[in-house]
Amino acid sequence: MTTHTTPQGEIGVCRFAFADNHLTIANDVIERRWAWRDGGLFATSLRDLRNGREWLMGDAASPSLVGLVAANGTTAAPPAITWRGGRESPVEAESLVVELSTVSANGPVTRRFQIFPHDSAVIVSLIMPGSNSSVATSTTSASSGEALPTGVETTPPTPATKQETPLTDVVESLAIDPLHRRLIAVELMDRTDIHNELAQERQWLLHPSERRIDIQGNLFFIEETLTGDGLILLKHAPMPHARPVPCPVDLSLAGSRLLLLGHGLDDTGGQGYAASLIAYQGSRAGRIAALQHHQRQLRHYDPQRDGLFLSNTWGDRSRDAAISESFMLKEVDAGRELGADVIQIDDGWQRGRTANSAEKGGVWNGFWASDDHFWDVHPDRFPQDLDSVITAAKSNGLRFGLWFAPDSSDDFANWRRDAEQVLSLHRRHGVDFFKIDGVKMHTRKGEANLRRFFDHVLDTSAGRIVFD
């Protein structure tokens, strides 16, 4: 993949230009523009090219893609620009990536943009150096000093003129018209052992006098009630409770000022969480279609790999007590009758014993420290290795998967060893599907190492391995 350093370029229908201190990124579906002022990017336009709709009322009152370093000491000089086209990972579709880099006292600050052909989304993210500053990142200063209601009606101050402490953790800052708009926040849940309902919605019919709305979450819709046209704000991040760097507010809306907050960065720097802003038409059905189309750019759909019917042995709650060669041969027969595509063995196929085992004395972390051969195939339960079960599965037209838990100890210090173990199982036994479990990700370092584990496996296997 060739990297270019010109202020404009295009890959197919995707294009960008930086001219007269304005950045434009577009394809045949969507166009976004920002103004470069005083070292910051101010969103000025977001147009749905399918119907010509302009979603922004004008220039944002504050810049987008602002982090602690970017807000304290970034040069106001024009940014250095690089761009490239192609696939960023083996599972993604081809895209155009544009990066704007500026200089700070701690190192380069990079604002990254990505757009796919025919997709109504632009993805943005911030890459920052580490900071020695003791100033904490803030996602709540926008609501500081808000007056309590008195019962006396007044003209509310506009967001552009209200004096506020500058925010230092901003992903998107937009000026939108709240009239005839509905805000929908989606709350997502994990841990299906204790949660059955995994998605809930909360709605607000917006009004200029509505007090500030501050919400946590990863997925939000702004929809016009008269037409069903809308915008999706999608934050590519763990759910709020699981992020190593807490973010008390993800979306803040007051009058016409809409903020998407929280890069997930601390003073160690790195690449912040990406966010997609997606235009859609057609109300609920339209936003579902737009999200699924965008998802298929991030993970290009392969019918031989994705969306398959997978069976797993954990469902009868016997834990690993039944796992054996004879049991799995029966599972293969049952899977064939059910029409499954993949047969997967959960915890119990491996030599090492976990804390979830029906037998006592297992561990739920430090797998390599407990047994250097923890991830060998269990010699008693599978005396012929996994070969007999895999052969039976293949002869019945079924593919094969295993349970695996990356070692969380010392912030996933063994990530490379874990990755090579997964790849070895893939190469030796043809295992393409891995259920990931037991993840304990509490720090930015741990999050980065876990991401390295996933990326290394996907890159090395050319995207053939699927993680559940």
Side-chain angles (χ1 to χ4, degrees), residues 41-355:
L41 277 176
F42 292 76
T44 61
S45 174
L46 193 167
R47 280 202 307 143
D48 187 334
L49 299 180
R50 294 165 295 186
N51 58 12
R53 173 185 287 278
E54 172 59 62
W55 277 99
L56 303 188
M57 296 178 66
D59 292 10
S62 58
S64 299
L65 292 173
V66 176
L68 184 60
V69 171
N72 294 280
T74 305
T75 178
I81 299 172
T82 58
W83 63 277
R84 59 189 180 272
R87 298 182 187 273
E88 293 291 290
S89 86
V91 298
E92 280 191 1
E94 292 189 353
S95 67
L96 169 67
V97 174
V98 181
E99 294 182 344
L100 276 60
S101 297
T102 55
V103 177
S104 76
N106 296 81
V109 174
T110 300
R111 295 166 175 88
R112 184 181 186 273
F113 306 84
Q114 185 176 20
I115 188 168
F116 296 91
H118 322 304
D119 187 44
S120 61
V122 176
I123 306 175
V124 302
S125 60
L126 182 68
I127 305 170
M128 291 199 311
S131 171
N132 297 322
S133 171
S134 60
V135 180
T137 41
S138 169
T139 59
T140 57
S141 60
S143 58
S144 61
E146 183 174 306
L148 295 175
T150 63
V152 179
E153 187 169 330
T154 61
T155 301
T158 63
T161 59
K162 184 178 179 181
Q163 296 299 312
E164 296 173 344
T165 303
L167 290 169
T168 57
D169 197 11
V170 181
V171 182
E172 290 272 16
S173 175
L174 307 170
I176 66 163
D177 184 355
L179 288 178
H180 309 297
R181 305 288 194 270
R182 188 183 307 278
L183 168 64
I184 304 171
V186 180
E187 181 184 17
L188 301 173
M189 305 298 293
D190 59 4
R191 300 183 64 194
T192 54
D193 286 343
I194 59 174
H195 293 125
N196 185 52
E197 295 293 334
L198 303 181
Q200 302 284 345
E201 290 185 358
R202 186 179 176 192
Q203 300 191 18
W204 294 259
L205 188 61
L206 301 181
H207 189 275
S209 296
E210 175 80 50
R211 290 188 62 187
R212 184 180 305 277
I213 300 172
D214 290 332
I215 328 165
Q216 283 189 314
N218 290 60
L219 181 59
F220 309 94
F221 310 120
I222 301 287
E223 184 169 289
E224 185 179 64
T225 57
L226 302 178
T227 65
D229 294 348
L231 297 176
I232 302 169
L233 291 96
L234 172 65
K235 190 169 179 179
H236 303 217
M239 284 173 284
H241 74 86
R243 296 175 195 157
V245 179
C247 180
V249 176
D250 290 295
L251 184 137
S252 181
L253 179 61
S256 63
R257 186 182 187 186
L258 175 66
L259 299 172
L260 186 66
L261 303 166
H263 295 286
L265 296 171
D266 58 16
D267 59 7
T268 62
Q271 180 160 356
Y273 297 132
S276 297
L277 203 159
I278 311 167
Y280 69 91
Q281 301 168 14
S283 193
R284 180 178 179 85
R287 63 177 179 257
I288 292 172
L291 274 170
Q292 291 187 355
H293 186 273
H294 184 53
Q295 180 184 25
R296 290 190 177 194
Q297 312 312 306
L298 300 172
R299 185 175 180 85
H300 191 65
Y301 179 70
D302 180 349
Q304 300 301 314
R305 179 193 64 192
D306 301 316
L308 302 183
F309 175 12
L310 180 147
S311 75
N312 179 282
T313 57
W314 203 254
D316 66 356
R317 316 305 293 180
S318 68
R319 294 182 279 183
D320 63 348
I323 301 298
S324 67
E325 180 179 294
S326 60
F327 175 78
M328 288 310 305
L329 291 174
K330 294 177 183 177
E331 285 285 290
V332 168
D333 291 337
R336 182 195 66 246
E337 293 179 16
L338 286 170
D341 298 306
V342 183
I343 295 293
Q344 186 180 72
I345 311 178
D346 209 288
D347 188 358
W349 65 267
Q350 76 286 352
R351 168 175 149 166
R353 186 183 304 168
T354 74

Side-chain angles (χ1 to χ4, degrees), residues 7 14 17 29 39 118 139 162 193 204 244 249 263 369 398 404 423 444-445 448 458 463:
C14 299
V29 179
H118 322 304
T139 59
K162 184 178 179 181
D193 286 343
W204 294 259
V249 176
H263 295 286
L398 299 169
F404 189 83
L423 289 165
R444 278 280 297 161
K445 181 180 179 182
L458 288 175

